[in-house]
Amino acid sequence: MIPVQGYVGQSVAVLGLGRSGRATAAALRAGGADVVVWDDSVPARDLAAQDGFEIRDLTKAGAFDGVAKLVVSPGIPHLYPRPNPVIAAAWDAGVSVDNDIGLFFQSFATPEWDGFDVAPWIVAVTGSNGKSTTSALIHHILVENGRPAQLAGNIGRGVLDIDPAHDGEIVVLELSSYQTDLARALTPDIAVFTNLSPDHLDRHAGLGGYFAAKRRLFAEGGPDRAIIGVDEPEGCYLANQLGEGANDDRVIRISSGRKLSQGWCVFARKGFLSEVRKGRQVGSIDLREIAGLPGAHNHQNACAAYAVCRSLGLGPKGIEAAMRSYPGLPHRSQLIKEHNGVRYVNDSKATNVDSASKALQAFTNIRWICGGLQKEGGLDAVIPHLGNVAKAYVIGREATEFARQLDGVDAAICGTMAAAVAQAAKDALPGDVVLLAPAAASFDQYDSFERRGDDFIACVEAETM
């Protein structure tokens, strides 16, 4: 646990008692704060009461009397589409609002660091797609090369739930826009921006607000090194803003699909990763046979992880060897099994059209299981990438409307995962890929993309026994 510094004897309120909220309350108490908590869920409040926390209804008048700070869980909207009433009440009471990420950056460094030979590092990864894979891959490479490391944030453990830093340790954080948008302190040593595509637009009042939330990771404190995906205009803009000329090594540009030549850059083309510094290639990796990193979208993740690890002093050969042993993450281009010449791939994390499009480009002869709760913008962006789809099998409560938008694709309206997997398995021929890449959120039928992916796995196992 990271005890939160700066609030000894002060009253701090925590709103939201999910994983991060509970960890935040415990870390505040460990740091000497007087903690009061609230959640709309009665069971969540009961659990907090069992842990000895004072339950205070923060929706009531006067709830913020004597409170120094309100700490908000990331899933709670603070501004758009409308401010949460508790947060608005904190504003009216003059109480500062923060989240666990801000408290972490404020509290991670301690006087004990003065005795370390090598100060700990923080690597923070954000972007629309690939954050989890990039963060996990960085962590895997570091551990495989004997570097002490922890993985936290939007993946793994909550940021305040990790262990205090050791000499030379590297903490890798995956940070979502919900987390970067509100944090009052953001000071990583290395910051990564993978890419940008429309997502969470209601939460950020459009694409500009969404990008602004990501950009805060680079603007609030200024990392020592920024690794920026430049395959979208926003990334090009950000790299330009952060660097002083093409040869400023504080910025490493990365790309999947096009050759780069400015300063220090890492790019992947036709399955080969190249590192270029001052116009000379200084490293390369053949990514095509790395099973845990299929497709161009994963090659971008590989470029980002490679750039981070090179910034931390690792050599190309050590990075390559670790990449080859990387197992991949569940629900992200996860090969479940091969049966009768047919591969079954779980990419349940493809919850928007951009991530689904990337999955569709990674395979051929696809039996595509798709559908769910559509996000703003419809399916227009996925249409140009349907050339590899032999047939679509549509699930979800709005399966008929979803299928109607798949112009020119043979689509079966299945409704349930079991029906979709059964029909896809029946239709599939040797060499085909049955791919779950929904291009939609899961919440019409499941409480998370993980549950949806687990259901796919179970259905595949039942059909291929």
Side-chain angles (χ1 to χ4, degrees):
M1 180 186 297
I2 305 298
V4 175
Q5 302 178 40
Y7 300 97
V8 174
Q10 299 184 58
S11 178
V12 179
V14 175
L15 176 62
L17 294 171
R19 182 191 68 159
S20 67
R22 294 193 303 271
T24 298
L28 281 161
R29 183 166 61 184
D34 297 324
V35 184
V36 299
V37 301
W38 180 251
D39 193 295
D40 291 337
S41 166
V42 173
R45 298 200 299 265
D46 289 344
L47 285 174
Q50 291 173 21
D51 289 336
F53 290 104
E54 177 187 342
I55 309 300
R56 180 183 298 180
D57 188 345
L58 297 177
T59 67
K60 301 297 186 182
F64 286 101
D65 292 350
V67 172
K69 184 177 286 288
L70 172 65
V71 185
V72 180
S73 293
I76 299 173
H78 63 278
L79 189 56
Y80 302 111
R82 62 192 62 84
N84 181 280
V86 172
I87 295 174
W91 294 343
D92 290 342
V95 173
S96 65
V97 180
D98 204 345
N99 64 12
D100 61 332
I101 305 301
L103 296 182
F104 169 80
F105 279 105
Q106 168 184 326
S107 305
F108 187 52
T110 65
E112 286 75 17
W113 288 27
D114 293 339
F116 291 168
D117 292 330
V118 179
W121 291 67
I122 300 174
V123 177
V125 180
T126 195
S128 296
N129 298 307
K131 299 186 298 296
S132 296
T133 295
T134 299
S135 301
L137 180 58
I138 293 167
H139 179 260
H140 176 80
I141 294 169
L142 292 171
V143 171
E144 288 295 298
N145 281 272
R147 302 288 291 273
Q150 297 188 70
L151 179 63
N154 207 39
I155 186 175
R157 301 163 71 179
V159 292
L160 293 172
D161 194 39
I162 68 172
D163 299 327
H166 301 293
D167 195 333
E169 188 170 44
I170 301 158
V171 174
V172 184
L173 302 179
E174 179 198 341
L175 299 181
S176 72
S177 60
Y178 291 6
Q179 294 169 308
T180 58
D181 198 19
L182 188 59
R184 297 170 73 92
L186 287 166
T187 54
D189 300 287
I190 300 173
V192 180
F193 176 84
T194 58
N195 51 57
L196 193 82
S197 62
D199 206 358
H200 308 304
L201 300 187
D202 58 338
R203 176 70 179 259
H204 299 292
L207 187 61
Y210 178 49
F211 175 56
K214 302 286 188 186
R215 185 177 178 272
R216 291 190 77 247
L217 182 61
F218 302 85
E220 290 302 305
D224 294 331
R225 176 157 285 132
I227 292 156
I228 310 293
V230 293
D231 289 335
E232 294 87 29
E234 291 85 357
C236 294
Y237 163 82
L238 186 57
N240 184 269
Q241 286 277 299
L242 295 170
E244 292 292 340
N247 293 316
D248 187 345
D249 278 356
R250 293 174 300 175
V251 177
I252 304 177
R253 292 166 173 82
I254 63 169
S255 174
S256 175
R258 65 191 184 101
K259 183 177 181 179
L260 301 178
S261 58
Q262 289 189 50
W264 192 356
C265 53
V266 182
F267 60 89
R269 293 184 68 201
K270 300 180 179 180
F272 288 88
L273 178 151
S274 297
E275 177 190 5
V276 174
R277 296 190 71 170
K278 299 179 179 179
R280 295 179 56 197
Q281 181 170 303
V282 295
S284 66
I285 298 174
D286 184 351
L287 300 172
R288 295 173 299 174
E289 301 302 321
I290 298 180
L293 297 168
H297 60 303
N298 276 312
H299 294 174
Q300 183 188 56
N301 301 332
C303 289
Y306 179 96
V308 168
C309 293
R310 290 289 282 145
S311 297
L312 292 169
L314 273 64
K317 290 184 178 180
I319 296 172
E320 179 178 1
M323 283 185 176
R324 294 195 179 280
S325 65
Y326 175 66
L329 285 176
H331 313 297
R332 297 160 177 87
S333 296
Q334 178 189 12
L335 177 62
I336 302 305
K337 70 186 308 183
E338 184 170 340
H339 181 74
N340 292 337
V342 177
R343 287 179 291 164
Y344 293 83
V345 177
N346 168 25
D347 203 349
S348 183
K349 185 62 170 67
T351 59
N352 58 46
V353 293
D354 184 70
S355 53
S357 297
K358 289 179 168 63
L360 292 174
Q361 294 173 70
F363 305 98
T364 58
N365 304 322
I366 297 171
R367 304 284 174 177
W368 180 32
I369 298 177
C370 56
L373 188 64
Q374 287 193 64
K375 295 187 176 181
E376 186 176 338
L379 299 178
D380 289 349
V382 82
I383 301 301
H385 307 292
L386 299 179
N388 292 332
V389 175
K391 187 173 181 177
Y393 305 82
V394 188
I395 64 173
R397 296 177 187 172
E398 301 175 351
T400 301
E401 172 58 23
F402 196 101
R404 187 191 63 78
Q405 299 175 63
L406 300 177
D407 189 36
V409 173
D410 183 13
I413 298 170
C414 299
T416 67
M417 184 69 74
V421 171
Q423 189 164 342
K426 180 180 177 181
D427 294 344
L429 303 171
D432 286 357
V433 175
V434 176
L435 171 68
L436 171 65
S442 61
F443 303 120
D444 59 334
Q445 293 181 308
Y446 304 92
D447 61 10
S448 68
F449 73 84
E450 291 96 341
R451 291 288 181 88
R452 178 171 59 190
D454 290 341
D455 192 21
F456 173 74
I457 295 169
C459 291
V460 168
E461 292 296 337
E463 286 294 326
T464 58
M465 289 178 62

